[in-house]
Amino acid sequence: MKVLKFGGTSVATPERIQLVMKLIREAREQGEIAVVVSAFGGVTNKLIKASELAAQGSPAYLDLLTELKGIHLEATAQLGPEGSQVIARLHQKLDKLADILRGVFLLRELSLRSLDLIMSFGERLSAYILSASLQTQNVAAEYLCASELVKTDDQFGHARVNFEATNHNIQSYFAGHANLQIITGFIGSTDTGEVTTLGRSGSDYTAAIFAAALAAGEVEIWTDVDGVMTADPRLVRNAFSIASMSYEEAMEMSHFGSKVIHPKSMQPALEHNIPIRIRNTFNPPFAGTLIGRQADPNPFVIRGISSLAEIALLRVQGSGMLGVTGISARLFATLARASINVILITQGSSEHSICFAIMPDKARLARKAIETEFHLEILAHQIEPVIIEKDLSIIAVVGEHMRGTPGIAARTFQALGKHGANIIAIAQGSSELNISIVVNKSEEAIALNSIHETFFMRDKKALHLYLVGPGLVGGRLLEQINRQLDFLAREYALELRLNGIANSKRMAFDAKGIAFDDWTPYLASSSETMALSRFVERMKGFNFPHAIFLDCTASDEVVKYYERILNLGISIITPNKRANSSTYEQYRRLKELAIRRGVRFFYGTNVGASLPIISTLNDLTLSGDQILKIETVISGTISFIFNSFDGSRRFSEIVHEAKAKGFTEPDPRDDLNGIDVARKLLILARETGVACELSDISVENLLPEECRKASSVADFFDALQQHDDYFAQKLQEAHKAGKVLRYIGTIEEGKARVALQAVSESHPFYHLSGSDNIIAMTTSRYREQPLVIKGPGAGADVTAAGIFADVIRIGNS
């Protein structure tokens, strides 16, 4: 025999009830079954709300009563059992519910006894409608109210079962009833016939009670998920179903937040060694999760990760606790007298403090009870007033294979630390079945994802990308990533997901990922107006590990959010020079913050696009080399201009060509004034350890005063033509000396300058061509011959390639 239980989501609508009836018919063809059913989805909450309104004297309870009547009568009409007897009995039950609620309304009193009776109508109505509906499909089904058989004490709200009487009643009843029994879940009754409820997941408990009494071969719990998951799929996108697990593992998982089945529900099955299978009503072919005495071999060292999202942590501490016997006994006896359940306990060997976790709504009561108990010790300053910490969550790492396996805790803590989740408290018993960790509630999702990835996704690493500025560089970056997705997944087990994107007008997000080849229409169709503050909040809300913010703008406004982003544990990659060429204080603060938060702040494309300039400079300094001198041409625009300026054409003509080719800013003066070069040189100087500001750099503006003051770009070119002789004269002087003109940034002896220089053929910059960048580093190791890096230092493709390379560096770290 099997006992099948269908939860509220499985019977939430007439369409779903039709599916349940189909499953019942198919199961009945396979063998003998009994069915336990919950109230229709949402009905129990409506019954509770109606009860509360009635107790408050609010006639609004009648609106809910009308709604409840409509739900059940409409379901009956759609499902088919329209016989006068069926409708009459249904109205009889609904009228009785109305009478009870009116009594609560008149008395302005809602006892636990009355609430249990009112809540029982959810199951009584659903089970009756289901049994009557099955009869219309020629299934010999009978309605069975469990309160007639399940006997309990009078602890209303969470009654305890008298198993001796209950088992006898169930066995006697089934011996005389051969038809399919449709049983109300959740309810029982006292010896005097007063209706009781069995507490949380009471219908699951009912199924296990009947299965144990009938020596069933299996209990099937039909719900709305594919069994027990490795983690909460709402928080962990890569969570997957667990094929099998032991009773102990299931109880540990459910105790700390897995809502699939409650530990109490497993006790009768555990005692009688009856397997429990969790199945999905909406995915019947899926086998679900089998819970039994022993689980099948698990390819992973842990079975799953569970979480409890709302807990409070109380700390009792004081020097007077050291070596004093009986403190713990008094503490927990006090909590027991106040009916406060302790979820987690931790105490250090110093005995200076005891921490324990409880539900937040009990925190003040617990503090008051403890401070009353230890009143004299607090007055004598032997124990301090109780400290309460709220907005916390418990993460539980569960698995029988953890026992005796070294390194589980280390890998767990490393995963949390790597992603910036702070551990507030830890508890682990000698059974090693569960490691429980208390974290801030805001870090629950990232803690779950990082641990899940560590233990379940070792063959694949997901990087979550958020891009602001999908213009020329950003667009090319997305194209490059799209071309490499399969290669990265196949060769490096890296999965890149674009979870957020924004331009100056709109922003769009998708937790599952936006297609890299379809982001343009996706963003265009978004109704979300771009606001950086909300963009950051959305990243925070996703709370993914390995998250990367890609700033492909040149905006000062975006830079203002860097600290906040790094503090969220999100890495930053950017070609935007604004942050690192701002104040030295901000430059240092961002770098130190990234280190402190355990994330990356990569800005290699600030200087030289994809050329390995900053990374090489860092490698030299980290390995102990001393930087003596840096010379560089780091503007592709100015490099092109002077490499083309050989006397065959006028200077203004070459500048005009550079603008036409898109090498310059819209106003070429923004390139020729040297500020862009100075910003890059400033970043290089800071990377060598020079604490300098932009104002400390000597910058030669290439343009005569008249060109700088021109009122428009057109006027600028007119003025520039008037000064072609000025540049021609400089070139002629250089050629007479056998030299060429180069606009060079220099760092030497802690000073930085940018100036137009004439260099001879022996200089490494003499043969520079096109728009290439070049840097020559003279160091203690490269004193005789400088280390030279040369290549394309500008352009959307190479800049995007540099950003992409930094993404991969994070993925491989």
Side-chain angles (χ1 to χ4, degrees):
M1 178 184 221
K2 283 185 180 180
V3 176
L4 281 62
K5 178 263 176 178
F6 292 94
T9 55
S10 299
V11 290
T13 64
E15 293 76 20
R16 292 183 179 184
I17 297 170
Q18 290 282 11
L19 176 58
V20 166
M21 291 194 292
K22 179 175 182 289
L23 293 172
I24 290 172
R25 293 196 306 271
E26 291 173 352
R28 195 161 177 262
E29 292 173 0
Q30 303 299 318
E32 189 179 2
I33 64 169
V35 175
V36 175
V37 63
S38 295
F40 291 170
V43 164
T44 300
N45 288 337
K46 292 182 189 297
L47 287 166
I48 294 171
K49 183 63 177 176
S51 303
E52 293 171 345
L53 289 171
Q56 294 165 12
S58 171
Y61 86 90
L62 291 169
D63 295 331
L64 277 174
L65 180 60
T66 301
E67 187 179 346
L68 286 163
K69 287 181 177 180
I71 290 171
H72 294 92
L73 290 171
E74 184 180 344
T76 304
Q78 291 190 38
L79 291 169
E82 297 179 352
S84 58
Q85 185 179 2
V86 171
I87 299 300
R89 288 194 63 183
L90 188 59
H91 275 289
Q92 185 181 30
K93 293 177 185 293
L94 290 167
D95 290 344
K96 186 175 182 180
L97 171 62
D99 290 341
I100 297 168
L101 284 169
R102 176 156 179 77
V104 171
F105 175 77
L106 292 173
L107 294 172
R108 305 291 197 272
E109 181 182 350
L110 180 64
S111 65
L112 290 175
R113 178 188 284 107
S114 297
L115 183 60
D116 272 8
L117 179 58
I118 293 168
M119 287 194 294
S120 73
F121 278 87
E123 276 69 19
R124 289 157 74 177
L125 288 164
S126 65
Y128 178 70
I129 293 170
L130 179 59
S131 64
S133 301
L134 284 165
Q135 289 168 16
T136 65
Q137 298 183 355
N138 299 318
V139 177
E142 291 181 7
Y143 165 71
L144 171 58
C145 185
S147 63
E148 298 177 10
L149 305 181
V150 177
K151 292 301 171 181
T152 72
D153 62 14
D154 60 359
Q155 296 297 308
F156 296 98
H158 49 85
R160 288 172 292 191
V161 176
N162 178 341
F163 280 99
E164 183 176 352
T166 297
N167 290 343
H168 173 75
N169 291 343
I170 292 172
Q171 290 160 5
S172 298
Y173 180 88
F174 272 76
H177 293 76
N179 289 340
L180 170 63
Q181 300 299 308
I182 307 299
I183 308 163
T184 59
F186 185 50
I187 61 177
S189 67
T190 65
D191 290 338
T192 58
E194 294 175 296
V195 173
T196 58
T197 60
L198 305 180
R200 177 184 161 192
S201 297
S203 294
D204 292 349
Y205 193 23
T206 302
I209 291 167
F210 274 80
L214 298 170
E218 186 172 294
V219 177
E220 288 185 352
I221 307 293
W222 289 83
T223 181
D224 57 355
V225 293
D226 287 336
V228 182
M229 310 289 281
T230 50
D232 187 339
R234 295 169 299 180
L235 299 175
V236 179
R237 182 176 178 269
N238 290 319
F240 55 89
S241 297
I242 302 169
S244 68
M245 61 198 314
S246 68
Y247 293 121
E248 288 78 8
E249 289 173 328
M251 284 191 285
E252 291 285 351
M253 289 278 290
S254 60
H255 180 67
F256 284 101
S258 177
K259 301 296 191 296
V260 175
I261 188 167
H262 192 269
K264 183 174 68 173
S265 305
M266 283 182 277
Q267 284 297 337
L270 188 156
E271 290 174 9
H272 294 81
N273 199 26
I274 299 171
I276 300 173
R277 189 178 293 276
I278 313 297
R279 300 189 68 178
N280 190 346
T281 306
F282 313 110
N283 186 16
F286 192 78
T289 300
L290 183 64
I291 302 170
R293 184 73 63 186
Q294 289 185 326
D296 292 337
N298 183 16
F300 307 104
V301 72
I302 71 171
R303 190 71 68 175
I305 311 159
S306 190
S307 64
L308 197 58
E310 288 279 356
I311 64 112
L313 194 68
L314 276 68
R315 186 163 70 249
V316 181
Q317 64 184 27
S319 58
M321 296 171 59
L322 276 68
V324 179
T325 58
I327 295 290
S328 296
R330 288 173 60 193
L331 172 62
F332 294 112
T334 299
L335 295 172
R337 286 194 297 272
S339 299
I340 296 170
N341 180 50
V342 177
I343 301 167
L344 172 148
I345 304 167
T346 180
Q347 179 180 18
S349 59
S350 67
E351 301 181 70
H352 178 260
S353 69
I354 299 174
C355 293
F356 58 93
I358 60 175
M359 299 309 292
D361 60 342
K362 299 290 186 181
R364 289 186 179 180
L365 176 62
R367 177 168 61 187
K368 183 178 180 181
I370 295 166
E371 291 183 349
T372 300
E373 173 67 24
F374 292 96
H375 176 66
L376 295 177
E377 287 88 348
I378 292 172
L379 283 178
H381 301 291
Q382 295 174 347
I383 292 179
E384 299 172 15
V386 176
I387 298 169
I388 299 176
E389 294 182 67
K390 290 188 176 182
D391 296 321
L392 304 176
S393 297
I394 296 178
I395 308 294
V397 180
V398 175
E400 288 190 331
H401 288 181
M402 292 164 56
R403 188 179 295 118
T405 303
I408 303 298
R411 289 169 62 188
T412 300
F413 301 151
Q414 183 182 34
L416 294 174
K418 187 175 183 180
H419 296 101
N422 181 50
I423 298 172
I424 296 170
I426 304 164
Q428 180 181 15
S430 59
S431 68
E432 299 183 75
L433 184 66
N434 177 324
I435 300 175
S436 296
I437 302 150
V438 179
V439 299
N440 287 309
K441 183 183 174 182
S442 61
E443 296 175 342
E444 178 189 0
I446 198 165
L448 284 168
N449 277 276
S450 59
I451 296 172
H452 192 273
E453 182 177 278
T454 296
F455 289 102
F456 292 112
M457 309 296 291
R458 296 194 70 191
D459 59 335
K460 185 182 289 185
K461 185 175 185 179
L463 303 181
H464 301 274
L465 309 181
Y466 303 91
L467 188 145
V468 173
L472 194 56
V473 172
R476 296 288 174 81
L477 171 63
L478 296 176
E479 290 174 10
Q480 291 177 11
I481 291 174
N482 186 58
R483 289 196 295 269
Q484 290 296 100
L485 286 174
D486 292 341
F487 173 78
L488 292 172
R490 183 177 64 253
E491 299 296 329
Y492 293 93
L494 284 178
E495 181 181 349
L496 274 59
R497 298 179 192 153
L498 180 62
N499 295 113
I501 188 168
N503 56 25
S504 60
K505 296 180 180 179
R506 292 185 176 89
M507 58 185 185
F509 300 87
D510 192 317
K512 295 181 179 179
I514 301 165
F516 285 95
D517 59 352
D518 194 41
W519 66 267
T520 303
Y522 190 90
L523 179 59
S525 64
S526 174
S527 60
E528 289 194 71
T529 303
M530 172 55 176
L532 281 166
S533 59
R534 290 204 307 274
F535 193 95
V536 174
E537 284 303 307
R538 293 296 298 273
M539 290 194 298
K540 178 182 177 182
F542 282 144
N543 219 347
F544 288 129
H546 308 301
I548 305 172
F549 178 73
L550 304 169
D551 175 15
C552 293
T553 74
S555 167
D556 284 315
E557 190 63 25
V558 178
V559 169
K560 292 177 183 178
Y561 287 85
Y562 278 14
E563 287 187 52
R564 188 173 173 186
I565 292 168
L566 292 172
N567 265 317
L568 291 174
I570 298 173
S571 296
I572 295 176
I573 301 174
T574 181
N576 188 345
K577 298 181 287 293
R578 301 289 181 168
N580 292 317
S581 60
S582 182
T583 65
Y584 181 75
E585 179 184 359
Q586 182 183 19
Y587 163 80
R588 290 301 311 166
R589 190 164 60 243
L590 290 174
K591 293 194 68 169
E592 291 166 2
L593 179 58
I595 293 170
R596 188 166 67 250
R597 292 293 294 160
V599 294
R600 301 303 184 95
F601 177 36
F602 283 160
Y603 46 87
T605 49
N606 278 191
V607 180
S610 63
L611 294 178
I613 294 174
I614 289 179
S615 58
T616 302
L617 186 57
N618 288 334
D619 289 344
L620 291 172
T621 54
L622 287 172
S623 64
D625 203 354
Q626 183 181 3
I627 308 299
L628 303 176
K629 183 179 182 180
I630 291 177
E631 291 181 289
T632 181
V633 172
I634 45 176
S635 167
T637 301
I638 299 179
S639 179
F640 170 81
I641 290 171
F642 282 102
N643 291 340
S644 303
F645 188 39
D646 57 6
S648 62
R649 291 186 295 164
R650 291 176 299 163
F651 186 80
S652 61
E653 182 182 344
I654 296 170
V655 174
H656 204 284
E657 180 188 358
K659 184 178 186 302
K661 289 185 174 182
F663 290 168
T664 73
E665 295 294 330
D667 188 336
R669 286 174 290 186
D670 292 336
D671 296 288
L672 296 171
N673 63 14
I675 297 301
D676 181 65
V677 175
R679 288 184 185 277
K680 295 175 181 177
L681 195 66
L682 175 66
I683 294 168
L684 291 177
R686 288 173 172 176
E687 292 294 297
T688 66
V690 178
C692 59
E693 304 291 351
L694 187 61
S695 59
D696 296 326
I697 298 178
S698 172
V699 181
E700 178 186 349
N701 193 318
L702 288 169
L703 298 172
E705 189 69 21
E706 291 82 356
C707 296
R708 301 178 212 170
K709 292 182 177 180
S711 59
S712 66
V713 174
D715 289 346
F716 156 70
F717 274 110
D718 288 341
L720 189 61
Q721 285 181 349
Q722 302 301 317
H723 290 82
D724 276 334
D725 290 344
Y726 166 80
F727 291 100
Q729 182 179 351
K730 285 184 173 290
L731 180 64
Q732 188 177 15
E733 291 172 358
H735 283 178
K736 283 183 181 179
K739 298 179 179 181
V740 293
L741 294 176
R742 298 289 182 260
Y743 193 57
I744 298 173
T746 306
I747 303 169
E748 189 173 15
E749 295 181 352
K751 297 186 180 300
R753 69 182 186 277
V754 181
L756 186 64
Q757 298 181 40
V759 297
S760 64
E761 192 171 2
S762 62
H763 195 282
F765 295 179
Y766 183 88
H767 295 288
L768 194 62
S769 62
S771 60
D772 282 355
N773 282 191
I774 190 168
I775 184 169
M777 297 183 234
T778 303
T779 73
S780 296
R781 296 174 189 157
Y782 296 91
R783 190 185 296 267
E784 300 301 324
Q785 187 75 19
L787 175 63
V788 175
I789 300 172
K790 175 185 174 184
D797 283 321
V798 291
T799 303
I803 299 169
F804 194 4
D806 282 341
V807 170
I808 303 306
R809 285 172 63 196
I810 290 178
N812 288 333
S813 62

